[in-house]
């Protein structure tokens, strides 16, 4: 893999200031910039479309917003941070008493320097977020303030980005990340950028499987994508939800709903191979878009590899989750880790013997190294031959190479190499079990 | 539930003296009296009918029976206890030497005051049962006795009582009890009366499921009922065999043949909720009519909740299992316990999400209590919301509410209430898995 | 069982000197001699026939072979031991320098008195095997030697022997042994002779199941047999590969590939019943023809009972595995052991109740020993009755008698006898589950 640190850094800086939400121009701009990295197809789902139990909301765009004190000074200014405005705030322009304003102000007493991140997607309302320090400094009982939000809620559309990388097999894995958060760095600008470069690398590989990479606003976007691509999505069984991959803390992974699913063992094995200590988070009904993909109608296994995981770090959903909190190099490391997993996953084929009955005549293939007379263990057999024979024994068209490597306690790469050699020699043929 | 103690006491006294057997007028009279409590349908299966491997025997009725000593004194008298005559004894009237009489006399040396209970259903014979004290007092070597039994074996029928309580679903649970024992109180007059009041209470409830309550003579009656209702009985998977519910000892339950079946966990949970200590008896091929219902042709899971269980108490199958041994209040308690189980069982529905794909839009339903911005565990989420989300996650149309409550380690009632709320809101719909 | 020790001894001596290989006259002669014991059908599969991944090779026969030293003395002579020639050696007659000869000489430094056993089936070559002692004694640097092999490789056929013993059921068990080894006693002349006598005994029994007994050259012979009898072989699920049954060491058995398969428990139980200590060898992809039968296309469970197992004894595949190493009495003992297994296996039927619904009326059948009145445990019931009732409970048409004996912790013979009694009384009927 190339070292993408510099490019990641470039895009972090470029994408961080854009005001993203579940709809709006900020999302489109973000996706257009990502098109510089990968050939994303941008799709629009119109306002009002019924997507399962949900309706695609009006499109929200915002031009400006501020609060002025009685001296006409801007004490809160959207231009300084798009977190200052509660996402989906409606337009407002009036002079209000402090008492009327207070319910519309959001701050965190326990984190006095941080602007919290708040949304009001499905209830028409308006509000400002600010640091507790600013609140104490600028807001006084009895004062009068001028509030101004110049936003628009109109019939428009919800925007998603999609890249399908087709492999030899039509069997798809899903890679999903969410683009709806405004200026928050770890959650989830890190994931958005990493996913773009993951897609770039996956395009370079001659893939065995196909990869569906989607950039959607969280929840409503994932739901809209599922509803508009139901048949395809119901065929997908496994994938990843990319989220929070650039923080300073420990690696961790959130297991998919079926904790016995091989994809979880896959991740753990790769952590071990890289000698990375990690935390395991069991599946939870809170979280990101695995909530949709794991629902009864799909039951997809989509774990997330995080650093640091949402909910788990102090600066989560505040203005302190900014470019100082994360690190392009860290994102590059996680990208490398994800890529290792994808590469192994891409090789996790299922084979059966071209002739399932009886043994293969290995000597004809130059694979049986010696004259006959039987094997005396420790003397004339070899580990290579043993592994090869066991591999052939287990290739029944249903058991995957990863499962065989687990049964044989052999490294996956060794099993993969052997299997590919046997495929070249037309001893093994690929199968596509359900 | 009403307190039925007084009524139970009334019927105990009224039904105890009646001479019941596997056929005969005593059974009809018993069922007719029960009709005062519930609208039983009385069905007759004729003598000679082939029911699986068995044949319905002749109907037996008895008018009188006694033994007189050489002085003409009645020393054993059927009118004092219907246990004095071996059930299904043929008529006899003759004067016999003690030696000829002895093989026809049954008593218990280890329980000298008790008259044992004996039957000879399928071998034409006659006999008397008496206490060992009486035997020693009245029977002497060398003496002559006049024996008299005025009974009748005729082509008639076997009588059963049936009550079908129909619920919203045609899916049935079975409640079966046996009416063939004469003057024995715990085994099983207690069960017969308790079942009648259980039926009465179940009629009052707006049931989700249907309940088939049957009163049959043990073994041959259950077999006859199965043979005459085979299609219906083969669809029933679960139920209860009511037996011995009024004794002074410990509660216990006999597990159904598949000890992993949820009905057994259901009973244990209800014992725990009531803080009742109990014994567990594994399934056995001896016992009551679960022997028929668990046979390969039916494989129904029908546990029994007992107090005290047959075989386990000293007075079992003797005249000491009388109205002094049991207690109407105890029967009322067991009734209450059974009713708790039935009420929970009746709520143990299976649901699926009306829209199985993705999450429900809870905020539209007033079920999502807050503005957006993500959940910070411990701060903005609630236990109620968590349980609701997990419930929705598991409602796949196959997993029952009881199973979900077990997975979530939540009380059943909480899960039930949530599910019913979600059904009302048309978020969940009922399914009827096999 | 008759004591076959004397006959086994007779055939050991008669068959030991014959030069067997994977094809050739020696094999035919061996099978013809075995026809004196059992009516083997001898089948020929022609050179060049494609059998799965393999091709049946040319037929090999050899008349004579020797090495003479420069003084014209025979220092290695095929007539002394057919192990002296590498099996499938092509003809050669020339005078060679010691340096040219050396690559064609095989000996074992660690076992200086033993002639090793070597083959070159699928690579045209020639070679001699000799003891290390002889090598040191007769071969000197700088000397010249005359080598002579008079052999023939021609279009012919591969020879197998087959005996199908038909039982009441068409369901077959396989017994397979290999005939390709020349003068090696334990591996596998012991197995060949034992299998013949096992067949003889199985013919005497009125079998419930059918037995397919085959004598094939190892690997290519088993493969050729499978390919020529594919449909039949795919129906067979269980059997035995007979190998190495006459050695002086410990008993052992190589498990079939599915170690949970009942056939393995069957063997272990029989070892226990005979108080024989034994070793357990897990399934391995090295070994004998279970490699073919367990391949994905067949997945047959065919364990081997050995004494001593191939690979495990010092003299394996050398001239010291001769008639002094083994013992006719030992082979007779193993035969007896195998026969016990076959007899139990032949009784391992699957039954269902003729009437699956409800209980059997045992009193009508004279099987219920007493008057009615209920069972008081320990008093009136009997162990026999309990076992009988449980057996009837489990006879569902799918669970075999062996499995039922395991569930009930009862000796198989007791279960068998009960089941046969119940079959005679038309209470149980045989089923043939897949």
């Amino acid at each position: 893999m190339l070292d993408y640190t510099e490019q990641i850094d470039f895009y972090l800086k470029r994408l961080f200031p854009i005001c993203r939400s579940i709809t709006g121009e900020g999302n489109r701009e973000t996706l257009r910039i990502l098109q510089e990295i990968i050939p994303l197809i941008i799709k629009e789902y119109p306002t009002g479309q019924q997507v399962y139990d949900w309706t695609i909301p009006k499109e929200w765009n915002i031009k400006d917003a501020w609060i002025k004190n009685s001296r006409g000074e801007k004490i809160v200014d959207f231009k300084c941070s798009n977190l200052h405005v509660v996402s989906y705030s409606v337009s407002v322009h009036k002079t209000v008493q402090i008492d009327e304003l207070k319910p519309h102000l959001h701050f965190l007493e326990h984190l006095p320097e941080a602007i919290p991140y708040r949304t009001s997607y499905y209830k028409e309302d308006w509000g400002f977020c600010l640091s507790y320090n600013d609140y104490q400094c600028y807001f006084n009982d009895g004062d009068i303030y001028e509030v101004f939000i110049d936003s628009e809620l109109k019939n428009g559309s919800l925007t998603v980005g999609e890249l399908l990388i087709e492999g030899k097999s039509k069997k798809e894995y899903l890679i999903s990340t969410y683009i709806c958060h405004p200026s928050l760095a770890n959650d989830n600008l890190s994931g958005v950028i990493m996913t773009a470069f993951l897609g770039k690398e996956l395009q370079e590989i001659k893939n065995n499987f196909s990869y569906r990479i989607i950039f959607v606003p969280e929840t409503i976007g994932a739901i809209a994508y599922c509803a508009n691509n139901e048949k395809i999505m119901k065929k997908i069984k496994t994938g990843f939800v990319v989220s929070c991959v650039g923080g300073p803390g420990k690696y961790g992974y959130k297991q998919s709903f079926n904790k016995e699913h091989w994809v979880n063992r896959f991740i753990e094995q790769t952590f071990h191979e890289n000698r990375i200590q990690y935390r395991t988070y069991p599946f939870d009904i809170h979280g990101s878009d695995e909530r949709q993909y794991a629902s009864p109608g799909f039951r997809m296994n989509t774990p997330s590899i995080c650093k640091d995981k949402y909910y788990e770090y102090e600066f989560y959903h505040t203005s302190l989750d900014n470019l100082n909190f994360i690190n392009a190099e860290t994102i590059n490391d996680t990208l490398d880790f994800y890529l290792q997993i994808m590469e192994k996953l891409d090789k996790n084929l299922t084979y059966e013997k071209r002739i399932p009955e009886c043994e293969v005549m290995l000597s004809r293939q130059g694979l049986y190294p010696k004259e006959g007379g039987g094997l005396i263990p420790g003397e004339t057999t070899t580990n290579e031959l043993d592994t090869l024979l066991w591999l052939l024994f287990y290739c029944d068209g249903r058991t995957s190479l990863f499962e065989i490597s687990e049964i044989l306690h052999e490294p996956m790469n060794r099993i993969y190499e052997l299997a590919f050699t046997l495929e070249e020699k037309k001893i093994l043929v690929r199968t596509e079990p359900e």
Side-chain angles (χ1 to χ4, degrees), chain A residues 5 21 29 91 118 124 156 183 226 233 260 298 302 306 353 356 375 407 411:
Chain A
T5 308
S21 181
E29 191 187 345
S91 279
R118 289 289 180 271
E124 292 210 353
S183 298
C226 285
M233 292 295 271
E260 309 299 337
F298 295 104
T302 55
C306 298
K353 289 167 62 193
L375 293 162
I407 294 168

Side-chain angles (χ1 to χ4, degrees), chain A residues 294-350:
Chain A
S295 66
F298 295 104
R299 288 291 195 238
M300 222 184 274
N301 278 279
T302 55
S304 292
I305 297 153
C306 298
K307 188 171 189 299
D308 315 9
K309 187 179 164 293
Y310 48 84
Y311 304 156
E312 299 288 322
Y313 58 99
E314 198 185 3
F315 298 165
Y316 168 74
H317 274 198
T318 76
S319 59
L320 300 179
D321 180 359
N322 57 30
L323 296 184
N324 295 324
F325 180 68
I326 65 162
N327 192 306
E329 213 168 304
T330 302
I331 297 172
N332 193 68
D333 288 348
T334 312
L335 169 61
D336 179 60
F337 185 80
Y338 254 109
L339 209 57
Q340 286 181 45
I341 286 177
M342 302 314 291
E343 283 177 351
K344 287 200 295 186
L345 190 140
D346 197 64
K347 292 177 182 165
N348 186 24
L349 297 161
T350 307

Side-chain angles (χ1 to χ4, degrees), chain A residues 238-241 251-269 271-272 278-291 293-294 300-306 309-310 338:
Chain A
T238 320
F240 298 89
V241 169
Y251 274 107
Y253 90 103
K254 177 181 177 180
Q255 296 181 321
S256 69
F257 75 96
N258 171 9
K259 75 175 175 191
E260 309 299 337
H261 192 277
W262 58 264
V263 74
N264 298 313
R265 298 202 302 276
F266 227 84
I267 291 170
E268 297 201 4
Q269 198 185 73
F271 274 129
H272 286 295
Y278 64 97
R279 291 204 178 105
T280 303
Y281 302 96
F283 179 76
D284 187 32
I285 29 84
H286 301 294
S288 186
D289 289 328
E290 68 279 3
R291 284 156 29 214
Y293 307 139
M300 222 184 274
N301 278 279
T302 55
S304 292
I305 297 153
C306 298
K309 187 179 164 293
Y310 48 84
Y338 254 109

Side-chain angles (χ1 to χ4, degrees), chain A residues 354 364-367 419-428:
Chain A
R354 189 175 51 81
R364 194 161 50 81
Q365 308 272 7
L367 293 167
F420 304 148
T421 308
L422 293 170
E423 186 184 11
E424 272 173 25
K425 289 181 181 285
K426 301 195 193 315
I427 293 172
L428 290 180

Side-chain angles (χ1 to χ4, degrees), chain A residues 13-129:
Chain A
K13 283 170 184 147
R14 194 149 153 225
L15 291 167
F16 186 76
I18 297 171
C19 183
R20 284 171 290 272
S21 181
I22 51 173
T23 61
E25 277 306 325
N27 294 15
R28 284 186 198 99
E29 191 187 345
T30 300
L31 294 173
R32 276 193 301 263
I33 292 172
L34 295 176
Q35 282 176 328
E36 299 170 10
I37 308 169
I38 42 171
L40 276 184
I41 295 170
I42 296 175
K43 295 188 169 179
E44 304 280 350
Y45 302 126
T47 297
Q49 191 190 31
Q50 188 69 20
V51 286
Y52 300 129
D53 199 39
W54 302 62
T55 310
I56 294 184
K58 290 187 172 173
E59 182 177 325
W60 182 70
N61 286 292
I62 180 166
K63 284 187 194 139
D64 200 5
W66 41 255
I67 303 177
K68 285 184 182 165
N69 63 14
S70 52
R71 288 187 304 279
E73 296 162 346
K74 283 192 187 171
I75 52 175
V76 176
D77 189 354
F78 173 72
K79 292 211 159 61
C80 297
S81 166
N82 53 42
L83 293 178
H84 275 314
V85 177
V86 170
S87 194
Y88 261 67
S89 282
V90 292
S91 279
V92 66
H93 190 184
K94 58 178 167 182
T95 304
V96 290
Q97 297 287 337
I98 181 71
D99 291 342
E100 190 188 340
L101 180 57
K102 266 190 185 169
H104 295 277
L105 298 182
H106 305 276
F107 45 80
L108 301 168
E109 291 188 43
H110 73 277
L111 215 63
E113 307 197 2
I115 310 164
Y117 163 55
R118 289 289 180 271
T119 68
S120 187
Y121 298 142
Y122 301 105
K123 201 180 96 193
E124 292 210 353
D125 200 355
W126 60 269
F128 287 88
C129 301

Side-chain angles (χ1 to χ4, degrees), chain A residues 367-398:
Chain A
L367 293 167
Y368 199 74
K370 37 173 269 359
E371 65 188 4
L375 293 162
I376 300 170
E379 192 191 45
T380 47
T381 185
T382 62
N383 272 335
E384 284 72 32
L385 180 60
D386 275 18
T387 307
L388 187 150
L389 289 170
W390 279 115
L391 173 61
L392 289 169
F393 180 76
Y394 283 115
C395 280
D396 57 6
R398 292 181 307 274

